[in-house]
Amino acid sequence: YIKSHASGWKNAKHADQWGSTLETYVYPIMGSIVVADVDTAAVLRVLQPIWHTKTETATRVRQRIETVLDWCKARGYCKGENPARLKGALGQLLPKSQKIKKVEHHPALPYQRANEFVLALREKGGMTSLALEFILLTACRTGEVAAARWEEIDFSTNVWTVPAERMKAGREHRVPLCTRSIEILKVLEEKAQNEFVFPSHSIQKDTHMSLGSCLVAMKRM
């Protein structure tokens, strides 16, 4: 399944995660069982030890087992209902993941203090501060901003076009740039050293800034 679908996945990390979760949780219990002989009891033996303690991981493992078995059924390796399905099978044997999963939200700055935060950013100065402010102004993900290229910026229309390959949704995204965003870009344009809007200060001069830079700066503040 992984080999036949890997080319359609965005990055190698996704394939690695697929493989590692199966190796860690599934193969030790079901690895030697012929696909046609896999039943709900076998899947349950995989999931029960981690369903309460690693709920998020367990739900992904279940989904991946189900997906692999669906693929196997399509290839004619097994028949009948999927033993890893929730409805009519595991859903009756395991508590709903939403009810036992602990949701831990990221701490958020009260919006009333946003202006104070931005003013502090500007006082701090530096490219990382400009990048973090640009993220706030455009509501884009860190990875999209860090890897932004000058060729994506249209100063005639004040629009930044993020290509599909860098978007989580896999579709091109056009970002309208406000006055302050343009000011930031103009400052950076004067110091441009490669194709990236936010270049790296490391030895590698041909790449963009680290994805963790903004997170580190925010935590320090």
Side-chain angles (χ1 to χ4, degrees):
Y1 172 83
I2 294 173
K3 286 181 180 179
S4 62
H5 286 79
S7 61
W9 291 336
K10 287 187 176 182
N11 52 55
K13 183 180 177 181
H14 188 63
D16 290 341
Q17 289 175 338
W18 257 84
S20 64
T21 51
L22 296 180
E23 288 173 9
T24 302
Y25 302 106
V26 183
Y27 297 163
I29 296 174
M30 296 189 347
S32 60
I33 302 177
V34 176
V35 175
D37 293 338
V38 173
D39 56 14
T40 299
V43 180
L44 193 62
R45 287 199 299 275
V46 172
L47 299 177
Q48 271 187 325
I50 59 173
W51 195 256
H52 288 82
T53 57
K54 300 177 181 178
T55 308
E56 183 67 30
T57 299
T59 56
R60 291 179 183 175
V61 169
R62 187 208 64 77
Q63 291 167 353
R64 288 167 184 173
I65 295 174
E66 183 180 23
T67 301
V68 170
L69 292 178
D70 277 344
W71 182 86
C72 290
K73 184 178 179 181
R75 299 282 295 191
Y77 300 143
C78 56
K79 299 178 181 179
E81 295 282 4
N82 193 315
R85 72 192 188 281
L86 280 176
K87 189 175 181 180
L90 293 172
Q92 308 301 317
L93 303 172
L94 295 168
K96 290 185 177 181
S97 59
Q98 301 95 314
K99 293 186 177 181
I100 61 175
K101 182 170 60 178
K102 294 180 180 179
V103 179
E104 295 183 7
H105 296 289
H106 291 294
L109 180 77
Y111 72 88
Q112 296 92 338
R113 298 191 64 190
N115 183 57
E116 177 187 346
F117 181 79
V118 171
L119 290 176
L121 260 184
R122 293 178 185 175
E123 186 177 341
K124 191 172 184 293
M127 190 183 66
T128 301
S129 295
L130 290 175
L132 186 50
E133 185 178 355
F134 194 79
I135 289 172
L136 299 176
L137 292 167
T138 58
C140 286
R141 293 182 174 85
T142 305
E144 295 159 10
V145 171
R149 290 175 166 83
W150 287 112
E151 62 185 27
E152 300 165 3
I153 309 295
D154 187 344
F155 285 111
S156 65
T157 58
N158 290 348
V159 171
W160 167 36
T161 303
V162 187
E165 58 266 24
R166 281 217 320 281
M167 293 299 301
K168 187 175 182 180
R171 295 193 301 272
E172 183 181 273
H173 182 53
R174 298 174 74 248
V175 184
L177 300 171
C178 65
T179 303
R180 175 57 184 164
S181 296
I182 295 297
E183 288 176 357
I184 291 174
L185 291 173
K186 290 295 184 181
V187 169
L188 293 168
E189 189 180 29
E190 293 177 0
K191 304 175 183 179
Q193 62 187 48
N194 58 27
E195 62 180 317
F196 295 103
V197 177
F198 299 97
S200 172
H201 287 310
S202 66
I203 299 175
Q204 290 182 292
K205 298 294 183 180
D206 59 342
T207 187
H208 57 74
M209 67 182 294
S210 165
L211 298 186
S213 299
C214 291
L215 181 60
V216 171
M218 187 172 65
K219 285 184 174 180
R220 284 176 179 169
M221 291 181 67

